[in-house]
Amino acid sequence: MREGPRVDTAQLMELLSVSLGAYYGDFIVAAASENLTASQGKALTVLRRGPAAMRSLAETMACDASNVTGIIDRLEQRGLVRREPDAFDRRVKNVILTAEGEHLTDAIRAKMRTTKEGIERLDEQERDYLYTLLEQVFVSRPVA
């Protein structure tokens, strides 16, 4: 752990802003190298976690459902995703990443050199700790 003065919330938020800016810039360049817009790349990244309903995808991507429809239309034309009716509610369309979409998502991540080099400077214990912290801050939700 780091010794020295305590870091306040504003400092952490500023560092997160800088970090996310660097990550996003790295991501945009990598996605563009595969002829994808940032939004198309983001959709593939979200779908890499598993299938998602169109509405859920729009919420996760923080954009209008009509925008997601256009994004998915273009990805589907390239064979990177497919839509299937939900098994329980035929009105709902689930978007599924194809094998080609998985490979392209992996290719984008592989091209994110700045991000990869930064992470690779961490030893195994530091990576585990960073993972735990990021999960705690952004993924885990307290039980009410």
Side-chain angles (χ1 to χ4, degrees):
M1 283 304 273
R2 148 193 198 297
E3 294 292 324
R6 298 187 63 88
V7 177
D8 68 20
T9 300
Q11 290 172 302
L12 281 173
M13 290 179 76
E14 180 61 28
L15 183 56
L16 279 171
S17 174
V18 170
S19 302
L20 291 172
Y23 174 89
Y24 196 60
D26 204 15
F27 177 80
I28 289 171
V29 169
S33 76
E34 297 293 342
N35 297 313
L36 294 171
T37 65
S39 295
Q40 290 169 339
K42 185 176 179 182
L44 292 178
T45 299
V46 170
L47 293 170
R48 191 69 168 98
R49 297 178 214 144
M54 292 286 286
R55 181 174 303 281
S56 172
L57 191 56
E59 289 171 7
T60 300
M61 292 179 62
C63 67
D64 191 74
S66 63
N67 288 349
V68 170
T69 299
I71 292 165
I72 297 305
D73 285 346
R74 288 183 288 285
L75 292 174
E76 194 171 37
Q77 288 170 356
R78 287 185 60 181
L80 303 174
V81 300
R82 69 178 187 279
R83 286 178 245 216
E84 293 182 355
D86 185 81
F88 301 104
D89 186 346
R90 310 276 302 159
R91 297 169 296 175
V92 174
K93 297 291 183 201
N94 291 317
V95 183
I96 298 157
L97 200 58
T98 64
E100 187 176 343
E102 287 180 21
H103 294 306
L104 190 61
T105 304
D106 292 343
I108 291 168
R109 288 180 180 167
K111 291 180 178 183
M112 295 178 66
R113 286 181 177 78
T114 302
T115 302
K116 284 180 60 176
E117 289 169 3
I119 292 170
E120 288 169 355
R121 285 194 298 268
L122 302 175
D123 64 31
E124 187 176 337
Q125 184 178 1
E126 290 168 329
R127 286 183 204 192
D128 289 347
Y129 192 52
L130 178 59
Y131 184 93
T132 299
L133 291 173
L134 290 172
E135 186 176 54
Q136 183 178 343
V137 172
F138 295 107
V139 180
S140 299
R141 300 287 184 236
V143 179

